[in-house]
């Protein structure tokens, strides 16, 4: 049975009591009231790998609230926010849905999320950075479900064949690039690393490791116009130029993670969410392991991010929606996520079960990364500048534009977008 603290029991009791009392006395369709009778709550998520754990969490909530049925709806991440935006605009978004940092402030500022301050969510149960991430204008709108950091996955068989020592704590950028070169074999089409144009997995981390930042802490200033940002970007573009990584075009033609999984790439930085997929992949589960990120000039900082459960402010079953959002991020739900090895739960003191769930991997490195982690870069309208970021950096990654010129252009365009947010 999952360990349950008094504080967590109190939070669950408050959430459940809200449902029971409102269900018993009301037939309203909003404004914090319950619809009464038997209801179905739609729950939108984007990861098929997490669906089994979410089903177990839903079943636990349904047991506590027998009048409620949870309908889990999975939309692949690439389409998730496009679909959500359309649904939210039309008033048909799911009752409860996953939210991420880059999109949170936009939805919260538009009144599309219900406050969760009164739903039994205790901020003290979660990392402060995640509570801050899902707080807008002093109000908590998202209950932290999980968190993710980034680490370096590597193919042990390829390292062994090349006679290269496995990545380890204390590895530097120089060690990393030297190993990438030694693991590259043009004759067989094997590369040392996939220097993909991924922010969270790659260059957001290396920019921090060089002492820079993508955006200021208050979300108003671009950090791309600095020498540190340039150094963080050039770590990856230099790997491509040296031939230690597939080209940008090759990584467009074939997903870089697929190149790693097929044994064509020896190293691949990825988030903690990858552990369950790699562990369930019979072709590679016994061939790969994970290590800390290599250290740059100021350390081996990893970006930290996390998914939040939010309630649709326009849900016709608002009380139940808020109660389920809180429950799905509570201790019982966190324990389910951890023991199934699904993701690192955000609820304090539940992470060790996630590490233990897949002992074949050194997953402790993801937990240890919290010590020096830096926040995922966001602003009020993150997508306004990430679209610029993607367009400019694609030219840098392809070699069409030199990194220094590209970052100067990116910094100017990004700052204009950030200034527009303040108007």
């Amino acid at each position: 049975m999952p360990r349950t603290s008094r504080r967590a029991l109190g939070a669950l009791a408050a959430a459940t009591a809200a449902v029971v009392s409102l269900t018993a006395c009301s037939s309203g369709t909003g404004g914090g009231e319950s619809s009464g009778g038997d209801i179905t709550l739609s729950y939108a998520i984007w990861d098929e790998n997490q669906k089994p754990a979410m089903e177990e969490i839903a079943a636990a909530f349904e047991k506590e609230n027998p009048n409620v049925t949870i309908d889990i709806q999975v939309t692949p991440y690439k389409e998730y926010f496009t679909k959500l935006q359309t649904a939210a605009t039309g008033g048909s978004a799911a009752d409860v849905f996953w939210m991420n940092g880059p999109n949170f402030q936009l939805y919260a500022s538009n009144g599309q999320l219900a406050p969760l301050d009164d739903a039994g969510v205790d901020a003290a149960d979660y990392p402060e950075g995640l509570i801050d991430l899902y707080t807008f204008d002093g109000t908590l709108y998202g209950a932290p479900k999980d968190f993710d950091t980034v680490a370096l996955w590597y193919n042990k068989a390829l390292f062994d064949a090349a006679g290269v020592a496995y990545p380890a704590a204390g590895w530097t950028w120089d060690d990393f690039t030297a190993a990438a070169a030694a693991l590259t074999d043009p004759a067989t089409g094997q590369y040392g690393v996939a220097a993909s144009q991924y922010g969270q997995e790659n260059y957001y981390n290396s920019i921090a490791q060089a002492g820079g930042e993508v955006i200021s802490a208050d979300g108003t200033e671009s950090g791309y116009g600095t020498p540190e940002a340039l150094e963080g970007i050039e770590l990856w573009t230099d790997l491509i130029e040296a031939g230690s990584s597939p080209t940008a075009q090759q990584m467009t033609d074939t997903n870089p993670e697929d190149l790693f999984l097929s044994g064509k790439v020896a190293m691949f930085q990825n988030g903690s969410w990858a552990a369950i997929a790699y562990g369930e992949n019979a072709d590679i589960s016994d061939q790969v392991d994970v290590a800390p990120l290599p250290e740059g000039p100021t350390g081996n900082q990893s970006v930290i991010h996390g998914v939040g459960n939010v309630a649709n402010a326009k849900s016709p079953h608002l009380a139940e929606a808020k109660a389920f959002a809180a429950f799905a991020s509570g201790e019982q739900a966190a324990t389910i996520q951890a023991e199934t090895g699904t993701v690192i739960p955000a609820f304090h003191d539940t992470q060790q079960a996630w590490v233990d769930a897949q002992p074949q991997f050194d997953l402790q490195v993801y937990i240890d990364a919290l010590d020096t982690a830096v926040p995922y870069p966001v602003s009020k309208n993150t997508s306004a500048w990430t679209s610029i970021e993607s367009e400019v950096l694609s030219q840098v990654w392809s070699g069409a534009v030199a990194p220094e010129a590209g970052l100067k252009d990116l910094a100017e365009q990004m700052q204009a977008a950030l200034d527009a947010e303040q108007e």
Side-chain angles (χ1 to χ4, degrees), residues 204-359:
Y204 285 174
N205 306 285
S206 56
I207 288 174
Q209 292 159 9
E213 58 185 7
V214 174
I215 194 170
S216 60
D218 62 3
T220 63
E221 300 287 336
S222 172
Y224 273 118
T226 65
E228 293 81 7
L230 178 62
E231 190 172 7
I233 293 293
E234 287 183 331
L235 172 66
W236 302 103
T237 57
D238 285 351
L239 285 164
I240 296 175
E241 186 176 355
S244 298
S245 164
T247 65
Q249 186 59 55
Q250 287 174 307
M251 290 185 286
T252 298
D253 294 341
T254 304
N255 186 299
E257 185 173 21
D258 290 341
L259 293 172
F260 174 69
L261 296 177
S262 65
K264 290 296 184 181
V265 162
M267 294 183 287
F268 185 71
Q269 290 191 181
N270 210 345
S272 45
W273 61 81
I276 188 171
Y278 294 175
E280 293 177 350
N281 186 329
D283 294 333
I284 58 97
S285 61
D286 62 347
Q287 296 182 22
V288 303
D289 204 352
V290 64
L293 294 178
E295 295 184 1
T298 66
N300 69 334
Q301 293 90 333
S302 162
V303 167
I304 181 174
H305 183 244
V307 173
N309 283 304
V310 298
N312 180 359
K314 297 180 182 178
S315 169
H317 315 295
L318 188 55
E320 294 91 345
K322 292 171 67 171
F324 179 65
F327 180 89
S329 293
E331 186 169 14
Q332 185 176 355
T335 301
I336 290 170
Q337 292 183 101
E339 292 181 345
T340 55
T342 303
V343 288
I344 309 176
F347 200 97
H348 282 321
D349 300 326
T350 61
Q351 292 82 29
Q352 188 60 45
W354 177 79
V355 174
D356 296 340
Q358 298 196 75

Side-chain angles (χ1 to χ4, degrees), residues 46 81 122 221 233 240 275 376 411:
W46 62 66
F81 281 102
D122 187 343
E221 300 287 336
I233 293 293
I240 296 175
Y376 190 98

